[in-house]
Amino acid sequence: MLGLIGKKLGMTQVFDAEGRLTPVTVIKIEDNVVVENRTVEKHGYNSCVLGSFDKKKSQTTKPYAGQFEDICNPKKTLVEIRDFGQEAAVGDVLGVDLFKDVSFVDVVGTSKGKGFQGGMKRHGFAGGRATHGSKFHRDIGGTAMSASPSRTFKGHRMAGRMGTERVTVQNLRIVRVDEEMKVLLVKGAIPGPAQSVVIVKKAKKK
Amino acid sequence: MDVIKAIEAEQMKDNMDHFHVGDTVKVYFKIKEGEKERIQVYEGLVLCFNNGGIRRTFTVRKNSYGVGVERIFPLHSPRIEKVDVVRRGRVRRAKLYYIRSKVGKAAKVPELIIRKR
């Protein structure tokens, strides 16, 4: 599946061909360098390792920099894309034009952190009544059965840390591919704050 | 941010600052019916401008057979052919929402007369 590393820049709106406003997310795709090709013979599966965003030499260790030797400058982000679906030799530079003939993409990102949240926000529990003497407002309610089993099962949904997890949004339409500015416009929202790293892949289900 | 501004700037019209709140305007709006495209004219009073950048909109209010009708247009929409000013209005505020609760003569905006010196 074709894929590239990008950076979420933010959202805006564009007018489409019929003059309708379309909400879009702007994803910057800097040069993606093919760092390694993994093969069935050697690794047991096919994949392509891409690197993006330059890293300062002073910030790299020798072992880290070693994997980029003779290929390119050390990169901040390394991502493995399984079954790339296109011939890509080590050292090739891939850009946003890879998505020229693609109309739908999936975007993988890390969602915004929400901190410690209750059951209503975190899991969509209904909660209780606000007024009329109700003493049950935003609690999570019962968590287990009675004397048997006499304990709460592991993994029960409760309050806790929410967000900052890997989220995939599928089937986002590509509105525009701008090779000059190296940006991709996709319709709708994608996970994570602005300036965060995202992986853009060709849609799996289209 | 600069990339986003560049994307927005591409689509923005630079000739849309000739009318203001309080003006009576004619909006020439393109409408697609099946295959055909025609232009509909919507005439009314500009109540307000909202938002900024590419999202900027303006609200036009008119009285249609005794019923007040308000329509919000995106200022930079390619479907707006042009906006003609019919009458300039003299207003002292940026949003004319009070007009909605006025009837008859009280719902009028006095005309702006600019004297030549």
Side-chain angles (χ1 to χ4, degrees), chain A residues 9-15 18-21 26 28 176 178 181 183 185, chain B residues 1-4 6-8 10-11 32 54-55 74-79:
Chain A
L9 288 186
M11 290 192 73
T12 181
Q13 295 176 331
V14 294
F15 290 101
E18 274 165 29
R20 282 183 301 228
L21 268 177
V26 185
K28 173 105 176 165
R176 196 189 300 167
D178 197 321
M181 287 195 281
V183 294
L185 304 192
Chain B
M1 267 328 256
D2 295 335
V3 175
I4 291 179
I7 291 167
E8 289 182 357
E10 255 171 46
Q11 312 176 73
K32 224 177 182 180
I54 192 74
R55 288 167 292 278
L75 190 70
H76 299 288
S77 169
R79 284 168 66 187

Side-chain angles (χ1 to χ4, degrees), chain A residues 1 32 40 51 58 71 75 78 82 89 94 123 130 150 155 173:
Chain A
M1 211 63 76
N32 280 228
V40 180
S58 59
I71 301 170
K75 301 287 181 190
L78 277 175
R82 285 233 181 176
L94 304 173
H123 302 297
S150 195
R173 189 156 55 78

Side-chain angles (χ1 to χ4, degrees), chain A residues 45-57:
Chain A
Y45 59 91
N46 278 318
S47 80
C48 181
V49 180
L50 301 173
S52 192
F53 311 120
D54 281 328
K55 199 169 185 177
K56 271 188 197 163
K57 198 135 205 195

Side-chain angles (χ1 to χ4, degrees), chain B residues 6-85:
Chain B
I7 291 167
E8 289 182 357
E10 255 171 46
Q11 312 176 73
M12 266 149 82
K13 302 176 186 170
D14 48 4
N15 56 348
M16 293 301 277
D17 53 357
H18 59 288
F19 64 103
H20 309 279
V21 170
D23 293 353
T24 304
V25 294
K26 271 185 183 169
V27 182
Y28 292 78
F29 199 67
K30 282 183 211 158
I31 284 179
K32 224 177 182 180
E33 287 172 333
E35 286 294 287
K36 270 189 181 172
E37 202 177 61
R38 65 182 182 86
I39 287 171
Q40 193 183 58
V41 183
Y42 184 92
E43 185 174 346
L45 177 74
V46 180
L47 279 196
C48 61
F49 286 87
N50 277 321
N51 306 324
I54 192 74
R55 288 167 292 278
R56 194 148 179 83
T57 59
F58 61 101
T59 305
V60 182
R61 182 181 174 89
K62 73 168 178 181
N63 199 324
S64 177
Y65 302 104
V67 181
V69 177
E70 279 180 22
R71 200 158 164 191
I72 302 168
F73 295 98
L75 190 70
H76 299 288
S77 169
R79 284 168 66 187
I80 293 182
E81 174 116 319
K82 61 174 176 176
V83 180
D84 279 353
V85 178

Side-chain angles (χ1 to χ4, degrees), chain B residues 82-107:
Chain B
K82 61 174 176 176
V83 180
D84 279 353
V85 178
V86 179
R87 178 175 175 271
R88 297 245 173 237
R90 184 170 65 81
V91 288
R92 300 174 70 168
R93 52 210 75 222
K95 315 277 180 194
L96 303 182
Y97 299 142
Y98 69 90
I99 295 277
R100 291 170 180 164
S101 54
K102 305 281 184 200
V103 188
K105 207 175 174 186

